């Protein structure tokens, strides 16, 4: 991972224009990372949509609590090794999981056979 920090003491000797240039550089990096996150989430949701269709076709439940628990443990470990707050990572994954389950429920409801019409 790239260290984008600049120590406060190193920043003390910078002019206003240098500080603005450093802010712009850092913000450009943040913008690039945000774009990558959005694209990665889009790819992830493409895969989870396929999982949802597969589950619906085979009458599997939209949620898989055992897998979700394993994923949370795995992500917390990844977060710790990346020096990211594991609680934040867990909250983010829980938000994503809730959205995935919502998508899976929608898919399951849209592929459910229609009940016979009443005569």
């Amino acid at each position: 991972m790239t260290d984008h920090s600049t120590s406060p003491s190193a920043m003390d000797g910078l002019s206003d224009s240098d500080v603005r240039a450093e802010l712009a550089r850092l913000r450009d990096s943040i913008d690039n990372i945000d774009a990558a996150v959005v694209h990665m989430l889009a790819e992830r949701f493409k895969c989870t949509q396929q999982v949802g269709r597969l589950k619906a076709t085979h009458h599997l439940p939209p949620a898989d609590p055992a897998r979700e628990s394993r994923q949370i443990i795995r992500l917390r470990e990844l977060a710790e090794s990346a020096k990211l707050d594991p609680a934040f990572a867990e909250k983010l994954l829980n938000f994503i999981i809730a959205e995935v389950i919502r998508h899976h429920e929608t898919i399951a409801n849209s592929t459910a056979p229609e009940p016979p019409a009443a005569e």
Side-chain angles (χ1 to χ4, degrees), residues 44-53 100 103-104 107:
R44 187 185 197 288
F45 277 100
K46 286 177 189 173
C47 290
T48 61
Q49 293 287 335
Q50 292 175 0
V51 168
R53 286 190 290 278
V100 167
H103 290 174
H104 289 185
I107 292 166

Side-chain angles (χ1 to χ4, degrees), residues 7-77:
S7 71
S9 60
M11 296 294 287
D12 288 343
L14 297 179
S15 68
D16 284 347
S17 63
D18 290 338
V19 169
R20 282 193 294 279
E22 181 66 4
L23 279 172
R25 183 189 69 76
L26 291 169
R27 287 175 176 161
D28 284 347
S29 249
I30 290 167
D31 292 349
N32 288 337
I33 293 165
D34 288 346
V37 167
V38 167
H39 288 282
M40 301 271 304
L41 283 171
E43 285 301 310
R44 187 185 197 288
F45 277 100
K46 286 177 189 173
C47 290
T48 61
Q49 293 287 335
Q50 292 175 0
V51 168
R53 286 190 290 278
L54 190 60
K55 284 181 172 184
T57 300
H58 295 279
H59 309 289
L60 298 170
D64 184 347
R67 170 156 168 81
E68 293 156 19
S69 294
R70 289 190 308 272
Q71 286 296 93
I72 288 168
I73 291 166
R74 183 176 146 290
L75 194 71
R76 286 184 68 92
E77 291 170 353

